Amino acid sequence: MAHSMQVGDFLEEINCSVCLELFSDPVILECGHNFCRACIDTVWDNAQSLSCPECRDPFAVRKYTVNRILAALVERVRKQEQVQKDNRTNPRQNVEDHDEGVKQTLCVEHKEELYLFCEEDETLACSMCIPEHYGHHFLPLQKAVANYREQLNSVVSSLESILKNIQTEEKIQQHKIKYIKECAQNLEGHIRSEFTVLHDFLYKKEHQLIQELKVETSGILEKMEKNLKEMTDSSNAIQCQISAAQSKLNQQVSLLFLKGIKGEMTRFIEAHKENAAVSYELVNDNVNSGVYKCPLQYKYWKEMKNIIHPAPTDVRLDSETAHPELIVFDGQSAVKWKEKHPEKKKPDNLECFDTKLFVLGPYGFTSGRHSWEEVGDKKSDDFERFDTRLFVLGSDGFTSGRHCWKVEVGDKSDWILGVAKQSCKRKGNFDITQKNGFLVLLMENQALFVCNKAVRIDRFMKICNVIVYLDYDGGQLSFYNASDISHLYTFHKTFTEKLFPVFSPCGAANGKNTAPLRVLPQREYNLTV
């Protein structure tokens, strides 16, 4: 009895207080009471003011929230009531279902136990059904179940393995998406920061030039207005004198006309002399439009090189690292390949020693006292020199910061540019790989490669100059076509040791590719390519 009362109380809790039925699409008000959506809408449509039908709390606006938890609870109650209703209408159904399962273990036709499984027909059979399945394969029921369970478990295990791999890849993809978003956000911040520098520079130059124009204009106008004021004052004074003289001339009475005439004439004559002695020149100064109406964009474009970061690095080549077949020249800014020539045999000379291993100094003495110091061979032991690959390094390496340098490659069909670690391989024949300390871009027969991987470029692109950009701290090495700063390739790597610019003009064949590689100095950048 107590249980029935509790169930009844529970059902009352999930009944709408308006329609007294189970909630349909329940919603909860701000006061915490629940109603059917349709019921509360009907109540509020017919009410003069908005309030809760139960507690009468007023509301300023028509607002409620769907109660999904209550909706799910009501749905479960509905299903339970349906089950109970079905049980009441057909109480023997469960017993019949059990009997049906028992019947299925007996052959309908022979009333024998179904203990065999026909693999071809996928049906159960008794011993008397075998002739009807001539030529078919039979398995004991338990063995058939075990076999197919094993196969199904194998499939499930395989699917679970595939699912695990997919989920792993899914997580990796999610991390990659997150990384790309963060990377894009960081790059956007970098772009804004870089352009802010340009905007600030241009704004300051604009403001400065406008101020100079205002100062110059103000100075010219001040002189003109001062001159105009003097002219106006003088003109007014002369007008007054003319008016006084005209008034005297208009006097018709002779006695009055002649009264004080000498004094007035003296004043008129002196005023005339003073005005005649003063000359006014127009101020014809003009604003120097040549300063302000010049090719401003070009002028300040040239000045912007002072704020460019990184500024072009003045790279010099280290001849001590150059392969013996390379020539470093033009102030250590260019390198080219030289052909091998057989050494010429020195001609016999009467002054040469023919049996003793002696050599004379270049100068002799005929008088005085002299001393000299023995100097050994100052040439290095070639430890740093490349002996197989046609490479040469830059004189200075980098361990931090951002750097860029521009290399003239001209019409060469083969060349190599990039950076090399201080510990890179230098002796013997080796692959040009990151493992051996090289991050380079290779041009081979007019095609670009990175580690034997072709770099896709516009087939109409002509590369005469290459800009190499190194952001050591940011772990980036990029290459650009200097003509339009179009991107060629970028390495992303964490740098941990000193990096040196590396160059290779490559060898020549059939008189081709003999031109040098040339590192352009800072003065030749001029912000142009």
Side-chain angles (χ1 to χ4, degrees):
M1 184 68 178
H3 175 71
S4 299
M5 291 179 64
Q6 291 176 359
V7 172
D9 294 341
F10 171 72
L11 291 176
E12 288 182 2
E13 291 294 330
I14 61 175
N15 284 343
C16 175
S17 61
V18 176
C19 65
L20 303 180
E21 299 289 342
L22 288 175
F23 284 111
S24 175
D25 194 9
V27 296
I28 185 170
L29 306 186
E30 292 181 347
C31 62
H33 291 110
N34 298 282
F35 302 94
C36 301
R37 185 197 295 267
C39 293
I40 192 63
D41 284 341
T42 302
V43 171
W44 282 353
D45 288 342
N46 297 320
Q48 294 181 351
S49 60
L50 303 179
S51 64
C52 174
E54 286 196 29
C55 64
R56 302 300 178 185
D57 281 356
F59 303 118
V61 294
R62 190 171 183 143
K63 181 180 179 181
Y64 49 67
T65 305
V66 175
N67 193 334
R68 303 185 186 281
I69 298 176
L70 183 56
L73 182 61
V74 170
E75 184 62 26
R76 292 180 61 184
V77 171
R78 290 184 194 278
K79 289 181 179 179
Q80 185 65 29
E81 287 184 343
Q82 184 64 38
V83 171
Q84 294 176 357
K85 181 179 179 181
D86 293 341
N87 289 338
R88 288 193 297 270
T89 57
N90 194 3
R92 293 184 57 83
Q93 183 66 42
N94 291 336
V95 176
E96 291 177 357
D97 289 343
H98 174 73
D99 293 342
E100 184 65 26
V102 174
K103 291 178 182 178
Q104 288 180 358
T105 63
L106 298 178
C107 178
V108 177
E109 183 178 354
H110 305 110
K111 306 303 180 184
E112 295 288 337
E113 183 181 359
L114 298 170
Y115 67 95
L116 298 175
F117 176 72
C118 178
E119 290 190 301
E120 283 73 16
D121 294 337
E122 296 184 359
T123 59
L124 298 179
C126 66
S127 58
M128 298 183 69
C129 294
I130 294 176
E132 299 175 6
H133 298 264
Y134 179 75
H136 292 184
H137 297 83
F138 291 90
L139 288 175
L141 183 59
Q142 296 301 323
K143 186 175 182 180
V145 171
N147 287 349
Y148 284 105
R149 281 187 183 278
E150 183 179 355
Q151 294 179 28
L152 191 57
N153 284 330
S154 176
V155 171
V156 170
S157 177
S158 177
L159 290 175
E160 288 177 345
S161 177
I162 295 173
L163 176 61
K164 185 177 180 180
N165 291 337
I166 293 176
Q167 290 175 340
T168 301
E169 295 296 329
E170 183 182 6
K171 290 181 180 179
I172 294 174
Q173 188 66 75
Q174 289 174 347
H175 287 306
K176 186 65 176 178
I177 291 173
K178 181 180 179 182
Y179 167 77
I180 291 298
K181 289 181 178 179
E182 292 176 351
C183 181
Q185 186 176 2
N186 292 336
L187 289 175
E188 181 178 341
H190 171 75
I191 292 171
R192 294 185 184 279
S193 174
E194 292 292 296
F195 275 93
T196 296
V197 175
L198 300 179
H199 295 160
D200 290 346
F201 170 81
L202 292 175
Y203 173 78
K204 289 177 182 178
K205 290 298 180 180
E206 176 189 5
H207 182 71
Q208 176 184 341
L209 197 60
I210 290 176
Q211 286 299 114
E212 291 176 1
L213 174 61
K214 287 181 178 180
V215 170
E216 183 175 349
T217 303
S218 177
I220 294 173
L221 292 177
E222 183 179 357
K223 290 194 293 184
M224 287 184 172
E225 288 169 356
K226 180 180 179 181
N227 196 37
L228 178 62
K229 184 177 184 304
E230 292 176 355
M231 291 179 178
T232 301
D233 292 344
S234 179
S235 176
N236 291 336
I238 292 174
Q239 280 285 2
C240 291
Q241 294 168 5
I242 292 174
S243 296
Q246 194 67 42
S247 176
K248 195 68 174 177
L249 289 172
N250 291 334
Q251 182 58 256
Q252 300 296 324
V253 179
S254 299
L255 181 61
L256 295 177
F257 174 76
L258 294 173
K259 185 177 180 180
I261 189 66
K262 288 185 177 181
E264 290 185 2
M265 285 300 299
T266 301
R267 288 196 300 275
F268 289 148
I269 292 171
E270 289 178 355
H272 175 266
K273 289 179 179 180
E274 289 177 3
N275 291 322
V278 177
S279 62
Y280 295 95
E281 294 182 2
L282 293 177
V283 177
N284 290 317
D285 294 354
N286 288 316
V287 177
N288 191 354
S289 60
V291 174
Y292 309 105
K293 198 176 181 181
C294 65
L296 293 176
Q297 295 179 1
Y298 181 75
K299 174 183 177 182
Y300 290 112
W301 170 259
K302 301 283 283 186
E303 289 189 22
M304 285 174 70
K305 64 183 180 181
N306 295 323
I307 65 165
I308 288 180
H309 184 72
T313 305
D314 208 356
V315 174
R316 288 291 175 263
L317 307 182
D318 184 1
S319 58
E320 294 296 323
T321 65
H323 185 278
E325 295 181 16
L326 295 181
I327 301 176
V328 176
F329 64 102
D330 199 8
Q332 294 181 295
S333 66
V335 58
K336 68 178 181 178
W337 177 76
K338 63 178 179 179
E339 294 186 24
K340 290 183 177 180
H341 297 287
E343 293 186 3
K344 296 181 180 179
K345 185 178 179 181
K346 294 182 180 180
D348 291 335
N349 192 313
L350 294 176
E351 296 182 353
C352 293
F353 292 94
D354 58 354
T355 57
K356 298 295 184 180
L357 297 177
F358 289 155
V359 63
L360 297 180
Y363 305 105
F365 314 110
T366 58
S367 63
R369 291 181 293 177
H370 310 275
S371 66
W372 58 90
E373 177 184 358
E374 279 192 48
V375 179
D377 187 0
K378 294 184 178 180
K379 187 176 181 181
S380 70
D381 61 358
D382 287 344
F383 174 76
E384 297 182 347
R385 190 180 302 280
F386 292 92
D387 63 356
T388 302
R389 292 290 184 180
L390 297 174
F391 282 163
V392 60
L393 300 180
S395 298
D396 299 315
F398 311 111
T399 56
S400 63
R402 293 187 290 170
H403 313 271
C404 71
W405 55 94
K406 186 164 72 170
V407 184
E408 180 184 327
V409 298
D411 295 325
K412 291 180 66 63
S413 61
D414 298 79
W415 45 261
I416 300 175
L417 297 174
V419 298
K421 297 179 182 179
Q422 189 171 23
S423 62
C424 67
K425 288 184 70 72
R426 307 191 189 194
K427 304 300 181 182
N429 196 4
F430 54 83
D431 293 331
I432 309 172
T433 61
Q434 296 187 41
K435 183 178 179 181
N436 288 328
F438 298 91
L439 285 83
V440 294
L441 187 68
L442 303 89
M443 174 71 82
E444 294 182 2
N445 296 323
Q446 303 295 340
L448 283 179
F449 295 90
V450 174
C451 299
N452 298 323
K453 180 176 67 175
V455 178
R456 293 184 179 180
I457 60 172
D458 186 342
R459 63 189 181 93
F460 297 108
M461 180 185 293
K462 182 174 178 59
I463 303 176
C464 296
N465 297 320
V466 176
I467 290 179
V468 184
Y469 171 72
L470 172 65
D471 182 357
Y472 190 99
D473 302 316
Q476 175 183 339
L477 175 68
S478 297
F479 301 86
Y480 303 89
N481 183 4
S483 62
D484 55 2
I485 318 299
S486 57
H487 178 250
L488 298 176
Y489 191 81
T490 292
F491 289 96
H492 292 287
K493 191 175 181 65
T494 300
F495 303 125
T496 57
E497 64 175 285
K498 200 169 190 177
L499 299 179
F500 290 84
V502 63
F503 310 85
S504 175
C506 297
N510 301 323
K512 297 181 179 180
N513 199 51
T514 58
L517 288 181
R518 189 180 303 275
V519 186
L520 298 180
Q522 291 181 355
R523 64 179 180 274
E524 294 187 22
Y525 277 67
N526 294 329
L527 288 180
T528 61
V529 291

